[in-house]
Amino acid sequence: MLQSSIHYGIHFGLPLVVALIFYKSYWLKAYGIMILGMLIDLDHLLANPIFDPNRCSINFHPLHTYYAIVVYLVLLIPKKTRLIGMGLIIHIIADIADCGLM
């Protein structure tokens, strides 16, 4: 229960905090863009079983590899892709926290 609360708290709460603090004038749009980072979980559909509560996503699923994380970090640099990169990195932070709590 605590693990799930922390995991989903980071997934949904941290983007909200970032949006409210750094993107006040268009926080809802910023929040929505960062939440789209959840789409990288579509790579879970390639795994068998699709969901395993005891499996760490980091470096297991294709969009959760260290190479992909480097791309997400690069997306933080240009202003045009910063929110997308931030959403993806926050997603990875949530998954790292989840792995640490296993």
Side-chain angles (χ1 to χ4, degrees), residues 29-96:
K29 179 180 177 181
Y31 181 66
I33 291 170
M34 286 187 278
I35 289 297
L36 287 175
M38 299 281 263
L39 290 174
I40 67 170
D41 273 345
L42 289 174
D43 65 358
H44 289 240
L45 297 173
L46 301 172
N48 188 15
I50 292 173
F51 176 73
D52 181 355
N54 297 314
R55 178 175 58 216
C56 179
S57 296
I58 302 300
N59 220 35
F60 182 83
H61 301 291
L63 297 175
H64 291 71
T65 61
Y66 299 130
Y67 298 110
I69 294 168
V70 170
V71 172
Y72 306 155
L73 288 169
V74 170
L75 288 173
L76 294 172
I77 299 168
K79 193 172 183 178
K80 287 186 177 187
T81 59
R82 190 164 295 149
L83 283 170
I84 296 167
M86 191 112 40
L88 294 167
I89 291 299
I90 289 170
H91 181 99
I92 294 299
I93 290 169
D95 286 355
I96 289 170

